[in-house]
Amino acid sequence: MPKPFTTPEEFEKEAVRHIETTLARSLFNCDESAAYSGTALAFRDRLVLDWNKTQQSQTFADQKRIYCELDGDLGWKGNS
């Protein structure tokens, strides 16, 4: 299980790994879009792992969950 990023180099290594493997790009055809996607995928990996750990611990703890429904009428008028 990957640990959180502790240095910029660790993050860069994971982003480059995604660019080269997941997106099948190389140094010669890596554009802004590929760099952005590689960055997003590197962060997503860590978020998904943390999310799954949280869900598992909540399930094992058998905590009660409260669900709310928002009807969309919250009184906020936006920028109009």
Side-chain angles (χ1 to χ4, degrees), residues 20-71:
E20 292 178 341
T21 59
T22 308
L23 303 173
R25 300 288 185 98
S26 70
L27 177 65
F28 302 106
N29 67 350
C30 182
D31 56 4
E32 270 188 32
S33 176
Y36 180 85
S37 295
T39 300
L41 290 166
F43 276 114
R44 184 208 59 185
D45 288 351
R46 297 307 199 275
L47 290 172
V48 167
L49 291 171
D50 287 345
W51 173 261
N52 286 337
K53 274 183 15 183
T54 300
Q55 292 300 318
Q56 187 176 32
S57 68
Q58 293 292 320
T59 300
F60 288 148
D62 195 29
Q63 295 182 2
K64 305 296 180 208
R65 297 179 186 200
I66 299 173
Y67 294 95
C68 318
E69 182 176 330
L70 298 176
D71 61 2

